[in-house]
């Protein structure tokens, strides 16, 4: 008997069938994202009722009969994904701001947006986080938080392109589109089916925020900035001023842990703190740690320090001992967003117990925040204060920073070694899932460390860190920093005189460029790598990759020569998996050169050489080569390839297999079945941002649409191909698509 979820999936599949639309077209008509619709149709996620109703309306069907089936599936435990919550912890002593909080909440309910502005330290983030926590029940799909680093010392503000990548990553879109506009569109689409609250903290200006705003739907956005974002249409501003005396006195008293009776002394303290919550908490913490002091003594000490910020921060700093003060000022030069005890230990060269105790004192003094257990961060204003002190008083700041860079590199290398990869058949003992989670958590900090290493000229770290992130980057292709890091790393390896390392980095750089569809730039990197004198292992891999680029540029004979060179090199070093790949792709281009019999022989030789995922390319080549001569064996080979891809969770290969199952079925005279596989290929491609694979699939999908008389759909696919080819400088693909377009128009 089928499960409730299976029955719901069957009903949704029937709706899609009735629509006669592609997955993307149906998703667009129903106001859903195609990636979400794909998860609904494959049973990975039970849709919210609103999505079911929208799909029914898209095909003119009454949704009410499906209500019982949907409710049963939801009760069965296949509920939507767990609620996301990236919000920092709420402050236990949040004080005042009743009118401002009420106004922000009302704007979020009515306009779906608000922007809180005010001077540094006035409590913008605290207010935003407080409101977000209060409204959590209103936003069942969670709260997303992103620091845009508009005013973070030592860091450039996040570009919208990068910010969108991180926001989409929070929604489990691991391969965002390459273009900023496409990312923004996908972000709006993903939010349109959710009810989430997005907090964009520390924005530098309206231009940084505008692409990050949600579109239609029930999600809301709350922005904070030191500047009033008056040009941000549809996002009403709410300005914060320093706390009034009554609220300031109350907060100071709570932080100090005592009743305030000396009104004159309290007034002096409040004036020195300027009504800024950050300064008031520090002053109160100072008094709490000095039980022998009165408020008058504190006021006198504050008045003796020139400058409002220096008086509050300096008083908190003076309550610390020499070790704690040194830890504080060194933290001002630490790159990245947050850190743990181990990083602080490397920075200060202190054992874990001593540095841990110092960090706790800094937290108690409100000089440091602990947003989650064991993870620490500094307010931007305090970080700048610490960095200024370090510049004046800390002669060992640069050696301390170098220790951190070495520590982060060592940690990245250790975690990377536990990850299985083609170049590492025997990974080190460890949990690969935990290693990937570590990279996910530390990614922003690793990039910040890399940039610091570039500034300091620490070429060892610059050259090695991208290699330690190689597997992570492969699984997160489309990450904005990858090409930039690899370019700098290759230059550092050259300065170090490490020709083999430079060649390996250039090979990775070429691969990253090729995955983005930039084939001419990829070939330039590959050629530089070959000039660096790579060993046989790397030279074989390079020959294979150059063959891929030549194939995709339409130079099939040059590609074939490269694949055959790769085969010779792989055979010389005894790499059977590499030989199998080279044989399979040799067969692929041989088939497209019109030599079917020879292609079949090469594909069979490839499949016989190895087992596991290395057989996939050979099986697909064999299946395609046999499609017109032996349909049974053709489909058997293609389905074997698909099963291998699914068993090893290779989504790119799954899309490729489905695409060529579609081609084979079209050749066999089953174009309607072929369309199902083409559509499934694009469902799998949706989150991957694999432009090269998309172009390949667009060509074949369009041909199948033409064969079934779907001329409008074929033209739309070919127009997309032409646009991509022009954008990426791919004249061969553009020429093929233009010729196919003329054929479609002739058949209309």
């Amino acid at each position: 008997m089928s499960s409730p979820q299976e029955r719901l999936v069957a009903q949704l599949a029937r709706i899609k069938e009735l629509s006669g639309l592609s997955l993307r077209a149906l998703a667009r008509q129903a106001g859903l994202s195609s990636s979400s619709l794909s998860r609904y149709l494959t049973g990975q996620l039970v849709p919210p009722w609103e999505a079911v109703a929208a799909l029914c309306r898209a095909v003119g069907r009454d949704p009410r009969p499906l209500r019982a089936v949907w409710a049963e599936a939801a009760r069965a435990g296949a509920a939507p994904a767990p609620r996301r919550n990236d919000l920092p912890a709420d402050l236990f002593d949040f004080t005042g701001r009743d009118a401002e909080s009420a106004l922000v909440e009302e704007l979020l309910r009515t306009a779906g947006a608000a922007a809180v502005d005010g001077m540094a330290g006035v409590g913008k983030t605290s207010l935003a986080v407080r409101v977000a926590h209060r409204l959590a029940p209103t936003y069942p799909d969670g709260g997303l938080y992103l620091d845009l680093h508009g005013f973070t010392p030592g860091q450039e503000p996040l570009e919208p392109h990068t910010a969108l990548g991180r926001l989409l990553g929070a929604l489990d879109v691991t391969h965002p589109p390459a273009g900023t506009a496409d990312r923004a569109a996908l972000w709006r689409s993903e939010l349109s089916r959710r009810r989430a609250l997005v907090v964009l903290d520390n924005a530098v200006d309206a231009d940084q925020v505008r692409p990050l705003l949600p579109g239609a739907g029930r999600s809301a956005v709350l922005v904070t900035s030191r500047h009033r974002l008056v040009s941000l249409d549809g996002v009403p501003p709410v300005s914060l001023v320093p706390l009034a005396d009554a609220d300031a006195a109350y907060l100071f008293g709570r932080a100090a842990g005592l009743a305030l009776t000396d009104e004159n002394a309290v007034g002096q303290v409040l004036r020195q703190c300027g009504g800024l919550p950050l300064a008031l908490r520090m002053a109160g913490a100072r008094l709490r740690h000095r039980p022998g002091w009165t408020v008058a003594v504190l006021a006198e000490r504050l008045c003796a320090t020139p400058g409002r910020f220096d008086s509050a921060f300096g008083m908190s700093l003076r309550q610390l001992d020499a070790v704690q003060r040194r830890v504080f000022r060194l933290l001002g030069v630490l790159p990245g967003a947050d850190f743990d005890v181990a990083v602080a230990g490397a920075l200060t060269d202190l054992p874990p117990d001593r540095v841990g105790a110092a960090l706790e004192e800094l937290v108690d003094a409100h000089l440091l925040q602990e947003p989650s257990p064991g993870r620490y961060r500094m307010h931007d204003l305090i970080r700048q204060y610490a960095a200024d002190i370090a510049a004046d008083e800390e002669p060992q700041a640069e050696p301390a920073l170098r220790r951190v860079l070495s520590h982060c590199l060592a940690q990245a290398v250790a975690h990377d070694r536990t990850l299985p990869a083609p170049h590492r058949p025997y990974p080190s003992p460890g949990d690969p899932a935990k290693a990937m989670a570590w990279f996910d958590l530390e990614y922003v900090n690793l990039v910040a460390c890399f940039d610091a290493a570039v500034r300091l000229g620490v070429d060892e770290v610059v050259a090695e860190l991208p290699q330690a992130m190689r597997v992570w980057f492969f699984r997160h292709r489309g990450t904005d920093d990858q090409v930039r890091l690899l370019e700098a790393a290759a230059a550092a390896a050259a300065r170090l005189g490490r020709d083999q390392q430079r060649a390996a980095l250039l090979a990775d750089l070429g691969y990253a460029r090729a995955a983005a569809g930039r084939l001419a730039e990829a070939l330039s990197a590959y050629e530089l790598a070959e000039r660096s004198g790579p060993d046989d292992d790397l030279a074989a891999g390079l020959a294979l990759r150059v063959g891929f680029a030549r194939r995709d540029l339409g130079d099939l004979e040059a590609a074939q020569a490269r694949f055959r060179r790769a085969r010779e090199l792989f055979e010389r070093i005894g790499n059977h998996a590499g030989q199998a790949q080279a044989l399979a792709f040799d067969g692929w281009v041989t088939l497209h050169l019109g030599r079917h019999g020879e292609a079949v022989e090469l594909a069979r030789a490839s499949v016989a050489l190895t087992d596991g995922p290395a057989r996939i390319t050979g099986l697909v080549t064999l299946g395609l080569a046999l499609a017109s001569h032996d349909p049974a064996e053709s489909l058997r080979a293609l389905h074997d390839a698909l099963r291998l891809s699914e068993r090893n969770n290779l989504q790119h290969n799954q899309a490729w297999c489905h695409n060529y199952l579609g081609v084979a079925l079209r050749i066999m005279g089953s174009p309607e079945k072929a369309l199902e596989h083409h559509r499934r290929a694009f469902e799998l491609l949706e989150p991957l941002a694999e432009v090269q694979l998309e172009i390949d699939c667009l060509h074949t999908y369009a041909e199948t649409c033409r064969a079934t008389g779907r001329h409008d759909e074929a033209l739309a696919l070919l127009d997309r191909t032409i646009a991509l080819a022009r954008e990426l400088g791919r004249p061969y693909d553009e020429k093929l698509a233009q010729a196919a377009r003329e054929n479609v128009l002739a058949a209309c």
Side-chain angles (χ1 to χ4, degrees):
M1 187 176 183
S2 60
S3 69
Q5 187 179 7
E6 288 170 338
R7 290 196 294 275
L8 178 61
V9 168
Q11 292 287 345
L12 296 177
R14 177 64 179 151
I15 289 172
K16 182 176 180 298
E17 185 180 340
L18 287 171
S19 74
L21 299 172
S22 68
L23 181 134
R24 288 189 180 190
L26 177 58
R28 186 164 53 249
Q29 189 160 324
L32 304 172
S33 75
S34 51
S35 59
S36 299
L37 181 54
S38 172
R39 290 194 285 269
Y40 303 155
L41 290 168
T42 54
Q44 299 174 46
L45 190 68
V46 172
W49 173 247
E50 292 82 356
V52 176
L55 287 168
C56 289
R57 285 194 295 270
V59 298
R61 183 173 173 179
D62 184 355
R64 287 173 293 182
L66 285 184
R67 182 82 191 198
V69 179
W70 171 82
E72 193 177 358
R75 284 195 301 270
R83 184 183 191 277
R84 178 98 188 191
N85 187 1
D86 298 330
L87 298 171
D90 196 6
L91 291 175
F92 77 95
D93 62 353
F94 186 87
T95 300
R97 309 296 193 196
D98 293 340
E100 295 93 336
S101 297
L103 177 56
V104 170
E105 291 182 23
E106 178 63 20
L107 289 172
L108 292 175
R109 279 191 292 269
T110 56
V116 179
D117 60 77
M119 66 183 295
V122 79
K124 301 179 295 296
T125 300
S126 298
L127 174 66
V129 169
R130 164 55 61 98
V131 168
H133 279 288
R134 283 172 53 90
L135 295 182
T138 310
Y139 296 95
D141 292 313
L144 305 181
Y145 173 88
L146 182 65
D147 187 345
L148 298 176
H149 297 299
F151 301 92
T152 302
Q155 287 189 241
E156 291 297 316
L158 277 188
E159 293 291 335
H161 186 79
T162 303
L164 284 163
R166 294 183 185 171
L167 288 167
L168 287 166
L171 299 182
D172 297 323
V173 179
T174 55
H175 301 283
T180 302
D182 288 340
R183 287 188 177 193
L186 180 58
W187 165 242
R188 292 191 297 271
S189 175
E190 286 291 326
L191 281 185
S192 69
R193 70 175 184 87
R194 293 173 166 87
R195 188 169 176 80
L197 177 57
V198 183
V199 178
L200 302 174
D201 194 17
N202 202 5
V204 67
D205 56 29
D207 289 340
Q208 185 188 29
V209 172
R210 196 170 285 111
L212 316 183
L213 298 178
R218 298 175 300 159
S219 291
V221 63
L222 180 51
V223 185
T224 76
S225 178
R226 293 186 192 177
H227 296 154
R228 199 167 197 208
L229 307 179
V230 290
S231 64
L232 207 56
D233 295 336
V235 185
V238 177
S239 297
L240 292 191
V241 297
L243 289 174
D245 283 351
D247 287 334
Y250 178 77
L251 178 57
F252 171 59
R254 289 193 68 180
L258 50 78
L260 305 177
T261 57
D262 188 340
E263 293 185 5
N264 183 55
V266 169
Q268 293 181 51
V269 171
L270 300 187
R271 283 191 294 277
Q272 287 297 319
C273 293
L276 298 180
L278 184 63
L280 290 161
R281 288 188 179 95
M282 290 181 178
R286 174 61 171 154
L287 192 57
R288 188 178 69 247
H289 281 77
R290 289 291 185 272
W293 282 18
T294 63
V295 178
V297 171
L298 174 66
E300 182 181 343
R301 299 294 181 94
L302 285 171
C303 290
T305 306
R308 182 167 61 195
F309 298 128
D310 283 356
S311 64
F313 299 168
M315 288 296 294
S316 293
L317 193 60
R318 283 192 292 275
Q319 81 184 46
L320 307 175
D321 62 27
V323 171
Q324 294 158 1
R325 285 197 295 274
R326 177 173 173 270
V327 171
F328 172 77
R329 60 180 178 262
L330 284 175
L331 288 174
V333 302
L334 183 67
D338 60 0
F339 60 93
D340 59 16
V341 173
V343 169
L347 179 74
T348 59
D349 205 20
L350 291 172
D353 56 340
R354 292 191 67 192
V355 75
L359 294 176
E360 290 305 315
E361 285 295 326
L362 293 176
V363 170
D364 287 346
H366 291 281
L367 290 165
L368 197 61
Q369 301 166 353
E370 189 177 11
S372 62
R375 301 290 298 186
Y376 302 90
R377 66 184 301 151
M378 273 184 159
H379 188 285
D380 288 352
L381 207 57
I382 299 175
R383 184 194 287 255
Q384 185 63 63
Y385 180 66
D388 291 344
I389 295 175
D392 293 337
E393 302 177 11
E394 185 50 68
Q396 297 300 309
E398 184 173 319
L401 183 50
R402 287 174 179 265
R403 286 195 301 271
V404 170
L405 301 182
S406 297
H407 167 81
C408 290
L409 174 60
Q411 287 290 299
V413 169
H415 283 90
D416 174 65
R417 284 175 178 162
T418 69
L419 298 172
H423 66 284
R424 185 190 303 117
Y426 303 106
S428 300
D431 185 344
K434 288 184 178 178
M436 289 300 289
W438 182 86
F439 278 109
D440 290 340
L441 178 66
E442 298 290 353
Y443 174 71
V444 172
N445 299 324
L446 290 172
V447 173
C449 283
F450 181 90
D451 291 336
V454 170
R455 288 195 303 273
L456 291 176
V458 187
D459 282 343
E460 185 85 16
V461 173
V462 175
E464 293 188 13
L465 188 55
Q467 286 189 304
M469 300 173 71
R470 186 184 190 193
V471 178
W472 190 90
F473 273 132
F474 179 80
R475 298 190 190 183
H476 296 76
R477 276 171 278 183
T479 301
D480 304 313
D481 302 295
Q482 185 180 13
V483 168
R484 178 175 68 83
L485 266 62
L486 287 168
E487 287 173 343
R495 289 191 294 271
L496 293 168
R498 298 177 179 177
D499 292 341
Q500 289 297 308
Q501 186 178 38
R502 177 174 182 261
L505 287 162
L506 287 168
D508 285 348
L509 175 60
Y511 185 78
R513 288 173 172 172
R518 308 285 180 184
L519 295 180
E521 295 174 28
L523 282 172
S524 296
Y526 292 148
E527 288 165 6
L528 287 173
E530 289 179 321
R531 289 181 207 158
S532 297
D535 58 24
D536 282 351
D537 195 8
L538 182 55
L542 274 167
L544 204 60
R545 291 181 178 185
V546 172
F548 296 154
R550 290 295 177 195
R551 176 202 63 186
D552 296 333
L553 286 168
D555 192 351
L556 299 186
E557 291 180 350
Q560 186 172 61
R562 286 292 187 161
F563 291 141
R564 292 182 174 179
R565 174 60 178 158
R567 178 187 173 186
E568 292 171 5
L569 290 168
F570 281 127
E571 189 172 4
R572 183 187 302 172
I573 61 180
N575 185 330
H576 294 301
Q579 281 179 262
Q581 286 284 294
L583 277 165
F585 282 110
D586 187 357
W588 183 267
V589 295
T590 299
L591 176 64
H592 286 78
L593 286 167
R595 304 199 297 271
H596 282 71
E598 187 182 344
V600 169
E601 290 177 12
L602 289 164
R604 290 195 195 282
S606 169
V607 172
L609 254 179
T610 187
D611 54 13
R615 303 178 79 223
I616 292 171
T617 306
L619 287 166
V620 172
T621 303
L622 181 62
L624 192 58
L626 292 171
S628 58
H629 308 298
D630 190 341
E633 188 179 356
S634 169
L635 291 177
R636 186 161 53 248
L638 288 163
H639 281 291
D640 284 347
L642 179 58
R643 278 190 291 271
L644 272 173
S645 301
E646 291 171 341
R647 193 178 307 143
N648 291 276
N649 196 29
L650 300 170
Q651 198 163 341
H652 305 77
N653 290 95
Q654 291 175 44
W656 196 55
C657 290
H658 275 292
N659 184 61
Y660 283 99
L661 269 165
V663 174
L665 285 164
R666 183 220 309 149
I667 292 171
M668 295 172 195
S670 300
E672 293 297 334
K673 287 185 179 178
L675 284 172
E676 294 177 13
H677 286 284
H678 287 304
R679 288 166 181 162
R680 179 60 184 144
F682 272 89
E683 290 168 16
L684 291 161
L685 280 175
E686 176 77 23
L688 297 183
E690 283 284 334
V691 180
Q692 173 52 48
L693 186 53
E694 182 179 357
I695 286 179
D696 192 20
C697 293
L698 281 166
H699 281 298
T700 52
Y701 189 5
E703 177 58 24
T704 302
C705 287
R706 187 194 67 78
T708 57
R710 291 173 165 81
H711 296 140
D712 288 345
E713 194 169 345
L715 289 172
L717 293 167
L718 290 168
D719 287 343
R720 166 72 174 157
T721 310
I722 292 166
L724 273 176
R726 286 175 177 168
E727 179 186 342
L728 299 170
R730 304 276 291 272
Y732 176 70
D733 286 305
E734 183 179 355
K735 180 181 176 182
L736 286 179
Q738 289 282 17
R741 196 176 192 285
E742 290 172 11
N743 290 336
V744 174
L745 289 171
C748 289

